[in-house]
Amino acid sequence: MTAAPTTALEVGTVVAQRDVHITRDSLVRYAGASGDFNPIHYRDDVAATVGLPGVLAHGMLTMGIAVQPVSEWLGDSGWVAGYGVRFTRPVVVDPKDGATVGIIAKVGTVDDDGRPVRIDLTVTAAGQTVLGKAQVTVVFR
């Protein structure tokens, strides 16, 4: 992971990259923390009944996992001022193998001093993009 900038960065510079493994246990813990106990997040039979390919990770869990590397990259030098995504595909969490979410964070836009204003995220699972138009607005101290 790159240190938060004290000098100018170019558009397209990778500032953070990470793979995060999610298990069914992760989903249970998130359900408890969020209060989202929809059974599509922990019961294969319910997921199948509604036409899903398997148990799905919570969208907000995926969204939170994706922004974490940016927050860590910023450290004390700035903060996340805005964040938005489009959910393009679900993250299917296999009962045995779980799922791995890949995150690549790149500078999307810069200010007149070359400091990042927007960070664009590429978020994938099972070789497919799961969050589209994932953009983080950052502000530096």
Side-chain angles (χ1 to χ4, degrees):
M1 198 172 302
T2 309
T6 55
T7 59
L9 290 178
E10 294 181 16
V11 170
T13 300
V14 174
V15 296
Q17 189 168 356
R18 175 177 303 159
D19 287 336
V20 177
H21 188 70
I22 301 172
T23 65
R24 293 282 179 96
D25 287 348
S26 306
L27 302 184
V28 170
R29 288 183 182 97
Y30 184 80
S34 68
D36 182 352
F37 292 100
N38 186 323
I40 66 168
H41 300 302
Y42 60 89
R43 288 189 47 191
D44 290 292
D45 60 329
V46 173
T49 299
V50 296
L52 297 172
V55 164
L56 307 182
H58 301 74
M60 291 297 152
L61 173 60
T62 305
M63 197 174 165
I65 286 169
V67 77
Q68 187 64 36
V70 175
S71 180
E72 290 174 6
W73 167 73
L74 286 167
D76 292 337
S77 66
W79 63 91
V80 171
Y83 179 38
V85 306
R86 289 189 182 152
F87 297 100
T88 57
R89 287 185 182 84
V91 176
V92 179
V93 182
D94 184 78
K96 181 181 174 199
D97 297 327
T100 299
V101 177
I103 305 126
I104 300 172
K106 293 182 182 179
V107 175
T109 61
V110 295
D111 64 15
D112 291 340
D113 296 322
R115 296 193 87 168
V117 174
R118 190 187 78 225
I119 304 297
D120 296 336
L121 303 176
T122 302
V123 184
T124 59
Q128 296 188 324
T129 300
V130 296
L131 298 179
K133 200 165 171 103
Q135 298 178 333
V136 185
T137 304
V138 296
V139 175
F140 290 90
R141 299 185 195 286

